Amino acid sequence: MSNLRTPLKILPGCIYWFPTAFVLSYYFYNLKIISGRSMQPTLNPDSSSWRDVGLFNCYAIHTKLDFNRGDIVALCSPEDSNRVLVKRIIALPEDRVKTLPPYSEPEVVVPQGHAWVEGDEPFHSDDSNRFGPVSLALIESRLVAVVWPPSRFGHLSRPSQVERDTSTPSENSAYRMAMAELERQRWRSARVTSNQTSRTG
Amino acid sequence: VVNIACATHLFLQYVGTVSLMSGPSMLPTLAVNGEIVVEDRISLRLNPSSLARGDLVVVRSPINPTAIVCKRVIGLPGDVVCVDPTGQTSPSTEHVLVPKGHIWICGDNLPYSRDSRLYGPVPMALIRSRLFARVSCSPLFLLRSSEVSVF
C-alpha cells in the first residue's frame, strides 16, 4: 500500500500547480516534438532516427512581436485550425517574394500584417507556396534550440560564421554541410526584395 | 497567489470572459462608445462545428496581430459569398468561395467596417470567442438588477 500512497500524495500538488505550469508554457517557453520532412535538412534530417524536440519561445512572439526573416516559427495552419506547422519566415510585410510552384503567380507582394513562410525542403512542404501569405497573428512561437536527440542538441547553426573561419580544412564534412546551409540561406534571401531598410535574415 | 492568478487567467482565456467592445463597425448592434459583453470561449473549443452563420465572433485581426475585432459570421467553409452587393468596394457580381478552414466575416455597419471585404476569408484559427450576451447596467444604480440580453 505504501507504494500507492506516494503518487497519490504528489497528485494534489501537481493539480495545484498545473495552472502556473500551463501559463508558463503558454507565454514563455515550451517544448514541441517536430515531425515531418518539410524542414529537412535543418530539422528531422534523414540521418537521425529520432524526431527532433525543439524549445520554442512564445514570449518573443506574443509580447515583443519580434519577427525576423529567417526565423523558424511554429504557426497555426490556416487550413486546419488544429494543426501546428513549423516553418521559416522568408518575408515580412511589404516584401516582394519570388514564389515556388505550386503557387499561381511568380511574384507576390506580402500584404500588411502577413508573412511568407516556407519549409526548408521545398518539395515536401505545406507552406505559403500552397496557401499564400499567412497572417502574423497565426504565428505562435519561435524555435530557439533543439533539445533532443542529444547529438543534435544546441542552437541552430549560424552559417555566416563558418565562412569566415578559414582554419577549418575544406574536406571536413561539417564544413561542407555548413557551406550548404549558407548556400541555401543565400538562395532564400535572394528571392526576397525588401522595401524596408534591410535586416538580414 | 501566483497560482490563483494563473488559474484565473486560464479561466478567462479558455472558458469565458467579460470585455469591452467599442467602435462604429457593428452599429446598431453594438454601440460606438463601448459595450460590455460576455465572451464565450469554451463552446467553440469543445464543439467547433457549432459555429453558425449569423453568430457574432471575436477574432484576432489578420492585418494587425495585436488588434482584435468583433464581427458577424456570414460564410462558413465551402460557402460562396457575394463580396459586396452594393458595389462600393468591389464589383457587385464578384463572388468568393470560402476555402476550407476559413470563415467570411462582415460588420453590421457596412460603410464603416473593415472586414472580409478588405482582407478576404479569415482562418478559423484566429477566432477567439463567440459573443454570448450583452450586459447593460446603469452606472449610477449598480445595485439594481442589470439587463443581460442574449445574442
Side-chain angles (χ1 to χ4, degrees), chain A residues 16-17 19-20 22-23 26-27 65 67 76-79 81 112-114 135-138, chain B residues 2-3 6-7 9-10 13-14 60-66 100-102 123-126:
Chain A
Y16 182 73
W17 286 108
T20 312
F22 192 87
V23 169
Y26 185 76
Y27 279 106
L65 291 181
F67 303 104
C76 287
S77 165
E79 294 177 327
S81 46
Q112 179 206 12
H114 287 65
S135 173
L136 286 175
L138 286 172
Chain B
V2 170
N3 205 34
C6 290
H9 175 84
L10 281 185
Q13 278 277 85
Y14 288 99
R60 283 195 292 166
S61 168
I63 49 179
N64 182 359
T66 51
K100 179 180 76 145
H102 290 67
M124 285 172 75
L126 290 178

Side-chain angles (χ1 to χ4, degrees), chain A residues 36-182:
Chain A
R37 295 162 63 177
S38 65
M39 286 298 288
Q40 284 185 344
T42 318
L43 298 175
N44 279 352
D46 286 333
S47 54
S48 157
S49 48
W50 295 92
R51 288 186 298 176
D52 284 352
V53 177
L55 179 68
F56 285 84
N57 177 359
C58 312
Y59 174 74
I61 304 287
H62 268 146
T63 319
K64 296 196 307 184
L65 291 181
D66 182 24
F67 303 104
N68 300 310
R69 294 176 196 87
D71 279 348
I72 301 181
V73 292
L75 62 140
C76 287
S77 165
E79 294 177 327
D80 181 3
S81 46
N82 296 326
R83 246 179 110 204
V84 175
L85 307 174
V86 176
K87 300 280 176 266
R88 196 184 286 269
I89 296 181
I90 302 288
L92 292 176
E94 291 164 32
D95 292 347
R96 301 187 88 85
V97 189
K98 294 192 179 57
T99 63
L100 298 173
Y103 202 72
S104 48
E105 295 157 16
E107 256 202 21
V108 160
V109 176
V110 179
Q112 179 206 12
H114 287 65
W116 189 267
V117 295
E118 279 182 10
D120 284 353
E121 171 61 61
F123 201 67
H124 289 286
S125 179
D126 191 15
D127 55 16
S128 281
N129 291 310
R130 281 202 41 213
F131 41 73
V134 301
S135 173
L136 286 175
L138 286 172
I139 296 179
E140 292 188 331
S141 50
R142 175 167 71 198
L143 180 67
V144 173
V146 174
V147 299
W148 184 269
S151 60
R152 289 176 45 78
F153 184 90
H155 291 259
L156 305 166
S157 60
R158 293 262 169 242
S160 50
Q161 290 164 359
V162 174
E163 199 196 8
R164 284 183 229 133
D165 176 17
T166 51
S167 65
T168 320
S170 39
E171 288 87 19
N172 193 339
S173 72
Y175 174 80
R176 279 202 302 273
M177 278 172 23
M179 281 308 288
E181 177 65 42
L182 182 61

Side-chain angles (χ1 to χ4, degrees), chain B residues 19-23 30-31 33-37 39 58 68 70 131:
Chain B
S19 51
L20 182 68
M21 298 285 161
S22 62
L30 298 177
N33 293 327
E35 285 255 1
I36 303 177
V37 293
E39 286 184 37
V58 174
I68 57 167
C70 169
L131 289 192

Side-chain angles (χ1 to χ4, degrees), chain B residues 25-111:
Chain B
S25 68
M26 288 298 289
L27 286 173
T29 316
L30 298 177
V32 179
N33 293 327
E35 285 255 1
I36 303 177
V37 293
V38 178
E39 286 184 37
D40 165 22
R41 295 182 194 225
I42 199 168
S43 67
L44 283 177
R45 272 181 192 267
L46 293 178
N47 189 7
S49 53
S50 67
L51 188 67
R53 298 176 194 90
D55 280 351
L56 287 164
V57 290
V58 174
V59 157
R60 283 195 292 166
S61 168
I63 49 179
N64 182 359
T66 51
I68 57 167
V69 297
C70 169
K71 301 277 179 248
R72 201 177 285 273
V73 174
I74 301 289
L76 294 176
D79 289 349
V80 175
V81 180
C82 175
V83 175
D84 190 358
T86 63
Q88 278 166 359
T89 54
S90 49
S92 57
T93 51
E94 182 180 348
H95 288 72
V96 164
L97 172 69
V98 179
K100 179 180 76 145
H102 290 67
I103 54 169
W104 189 271
I105 58 175
C106 211
D108 285 349
N109 188 7
L110 290 177

